[in-house]
Amino acid sequence: MSLQNVLIIGGGVGGTAILRLLLSVEFFHVQCVVDIDKQAPAIQIAKHHNIPTSTEWKSYLSNDLHIIFDLTGQHTVFEELLKERQAHTVLIPGSVANMLIRLLREKDQFIRNIGKESHKQELIFNSIEEGMVGIDAKGIVNFFNKSAERMTEILIGDAIGKPIYEVIPSSELPRIFDTGRTELNRELVLSNGSEIVTSRFPIIDEKGKRIGAFSVFKDITEIVNLAGEITNLKEIQTMLQAIIQSSDDAISVVDEEGKGLLINPAYTRITGLETDDIIGKPAATDISEGESMHLKVLQMRKPIRGVNMRVGPLKREVIVNVAPIIVNNRLKGSVGVIHDVTEIRSLMKELDRARSIIRTLESKYTFDDIIGHSNEMLISVEQAKLAAKTPVTVLLRGESGTGKELFAHAIHSSSDRKYNKFIRVNCAAIAEHLLESELFGYEEGAFTGAKRGGKRGLFEEANHGSIFLDEIGELSGSTQAMLLRVLQESEIVRVGGTKSITIDVRVIAATNINMEKAMLEGKFREDLYYRLNRMPIQIPPLRNHKQDIPAIADRLLVKLNQEYGRNVEGISEVAMQRLRVYSWPGNVRELENIISRGMIFMKAAESILDDQHLPFTMMTHQEPELNQPVQEILPLVEQIERMEKEILSATLKRSNGNKSKTAKQLSISLRTLYYKLEKYGLA
């Protein structure tokens, strides 16, 4: 477009406004500003811009003048200009010029308003929490707000004007521009590790043309963490609810106003009150006798423990513990735990009963505690194991100190009675006039000094269990007769009584005397002997299985170290040889005494029991050489078969030939019983 030459006549306000307008537009050329006042504002501005000025206008009416602005406001000047101008020159009067000026001012105001609105929008976009990023059609970032800067840790100045892939390499905005599709709520991890959820939109103008793309995103790192915390809280809540619901103690919870919030099944079981009876009701609803501890705790803000009261329609006696629930120093309610006194008393009775049983359940040893690998000891152990599997009466025979009581413990511990009582009685240690009453009990008034109501005997105490009668050869004739009745009829009669009491007791007897000699001398009943001798087990003296002394001594060292608080590691070879050649008249009991005495005389720094710690008297009691022939010992299998035959024969006789009953008593199948009867010729 060619330049338009302009002449301004009038340097006042109107002329100044037109001059400023024309100076701001490139295709207007002001040839001259005319005013009779050389100090007019427009004249001064023109001089500043090197525009010619004049006090007259006629000389400027040339052929190349395109526009004349008459801003004098004088009609005569306008008429004169209208006559003198060239035909192609446009004359604009002052009224039109003023209208143009007003429009220009309104335009400027409108632009300023737009600027203010743009500034407001910028403030709004920078104030919102969501990040915003925009690109143009070429993928250049043209919008980046403060929240985007905070989340991406990229400065706005470093983002605007840059390709989006340089700013956010993982951005999907170019794809959104290409496809024109909107994507909502997509998760994305930024390069700084922040997790965001973003929605992306194409930007389309009024003609439907895509001109860019825009994304709005929110940092969800804290939300994800919060969700994890909520999940943990829910898990804890579920776990606490499971604990409360499964607790055997009754639990009730009230709010700060004392109204029921929660109870568990144990609460319903103890009080007889259901959920509808408690939830939302006052805390005193369940009280039958006493005052509500919940209300008291809410007033005091302190726990109360061990309060006796009665609750529910059944007036159940309970003990209550209540504590306040305080969160952030604010009282939120209270929780109470109710213990049923009836159950506690029942448990106390059970505990007393258990303690009573423990005092008599003194079966301390098993077959693992019997040390010995000699043929004699192995035979005795195998016989005892066979005896343990049947209810047959056992007679343990052997010298004093050979371990008869140890065998009795092991037989009981391996039998089906092992969870019932095991009572030990030393028949020689109880006075003759007391033994009967101790074994069989007595009725009230049976003798002077008898307890009121009478007393249960040891056989009654051992019912369904085992009784070990040690030194049974010392029993008097009358006691032997009563014992025979027990073995034959499985019943007793208390001293001074007439009523028979049925019992189920397994008898294990032991003696160190020659029972056959005592029977011939009339000191022991023959019929009782045969009752007791159904399953005899001979326990060999220590001198007959000296090869077991090292193993027995090691076991005794462990026991005595615990008792004496010592740490003796072993026995020297010289001392062990002394132990091997000794005759051991006191058997294993004497061996324990000698090792015990030797440990006592050992110095604190010594850890090996040596020959010097053994008594010199052992030298005079060495084992003499035996010139008499040694009795032949049968193979173990043959001896076991003999014993098995005796057991089968005795049990079959006791069952009066009833094979089904015999098989049941021996805990074997009927088919196995027929096989063994045929094998041993007992069919």
Side-chain angles (χ1 to χ4, degrees), residues 371-378 540 542 544-554 576 580 591:
I371 307 300
H373 301 287
S374 62
N375 289 335
E376 295 90 340
M377 186 59 70
L378 289 176
L542 183 58
N544 287 358
H545 59 106
K546 289 185 177 181
Q547 61 268 44
D548 295 328
I549 288 178
I552 297 173
D554 287 341
M576 186 60 70
R580 288 194 185 98
L591 175 61

Side-chain angles (χ1 to χ4, degrees), residues 244-459:
I244 291 172
Q245 295 299 316
S246 62
S247 173
D248 287 333
D249 290 326
I251 298 174
S252 66
V253 181
V254 303
D255 60 19
E256 63 270 24
E257 296 179 357
K259 293 183 179 180
L261 284 179
L262 180 148
I263 61 172
N264 67 342
Y267 179 93
T268 298
R269 174 174 54 82
I270 291 175
T271 66
L273 297 170
E274 300 292 339
T275 302
D276 294 339
D277 300 325
I278 298 299
I279 304 303
K281 305 293 177 61
T285 302
D286 58 350
I287 307 299
S288 298
E289 294 180 12
E291 60 177 320
S292 172
M293 291 300 105
H294 277 302
L295 297 177
K296 201 166 184 179
V297 164
L298 292 175
Q299 293 172 357
M300 298 171 55
R301 296 172 66 99
K302 292 182 180 179
I304 297 176
R305 302 185 183 279
V307 179
N308 286 282
M309 62 174 58
R310 292 184 181 273
V311 296
L314 301 178
K315 296 185 178 180
R316 200 74 171 266
E317 187 178 358
V318 297
I319 295 176
V320 179
N321 298 326
V322 184
I325 302 172
I326 298 176
V327 180
N328 295 329
N329 206 30
R330 291 185 60 187
L331 183 66
K332 294 293 186 179
S334 64
V335 57
V337 180
I338 300 174
H339 304 280
D340 188 354
V341 174
T342 307
E343 291 184 0
I344 293 174
R345 287 176 178 167
S346 176
L347 289 173
M348 289 299 295
K349 289 181 181 179
E350 289 294 326
L351 179 60
D352 291 340
R353 181 173 176 273
R355 287 172 175 168
S356 175
I357 293 173
I358 289 170
R359 284 194 293 269
T360 55
L361 276 176
E362 296 180 350
S363 177
K364 306 174 185 176
Y365 309 110
T366 66
F367 284 112
D368 293 334
D369 297 303
I370 300 176
I371 307 300
H373 301 287
S374 62
N375 289 335
E376 295 90 340
M377 186 59 70
L378 289 176
I379 291 172
S380 300
V381 171
E382 288 300 323
Q383 290 176 344
K385 288 182 178 179
L386 283 172
K389 297 177 181 179
T390 68
V392 66
T393 301
V394 178
L395 179 61
L396 300 172
R397 305 187 65 172
E399 296 177 6
S400 178
T402 53
K404 295 186 290 296
E405 185 172 341
L406 178 61
F407 271 76
H409 280 271
I411 291 171
H412 175 78
S413 298
S414 298
S415 72
D416 56 2
R417 299 170 181 258
K418 59 185 176 182
Y419 297 117
N420 295 310
K421 295 182 181 180
F422 176 78
I423 292 180
R424 300 175 297 169
V425 183
N426 190 327
C427 300
I430 302 176
E432 178 63 32
H433 66 283
L434 296 176
L435 185 58
E436 287 186 13
S437 61
E438 285 294 322
L439 287 175
F440 308 110
Y442 57 81
E443 296 291 351
E444 182 177 349
F447 51 83
T448 303
K451 287 184 179 180
R452 187 174 182 180
K455 179 185 176 182
R456 286 158 54 94
L458 294 176
F459 270 98

Side-chain angles (χ1 to χ4, degrees), residues 73-123:
Q74 297 178 16
H75 183 70
T76 54
V77 174
F78 180 78
E79 291 292 336
E80 189 175 357
L81 284 170
L82 192 58
K83 292 179 182 179
E84 297 293 334
R85 68 178 178 86
Q86 299 292 329
H88 64 274
T89 302
V90 178
L91 176 62
I92 299 176
S95 59
V96 176
N98 289 333
M99 184 182 298
L100 179 61
I101 291 170
R102 186 167 65 251
L103 291 173
L104 291 174
R105 286 177 177 173
E106 290 178 359
K107 173 194 171 187
D108 291 339
Q109 184 64 35
F110 179 72
I111 292 173
R112 283 194 296 270
N113 289 339
I114 291 176
K116 290 180 181 179
E117 290 298 323
S118 176
H119 181 65
K120 287 181 181 179
Q121 291 179 1
E122 184 178 357
L123 290 176

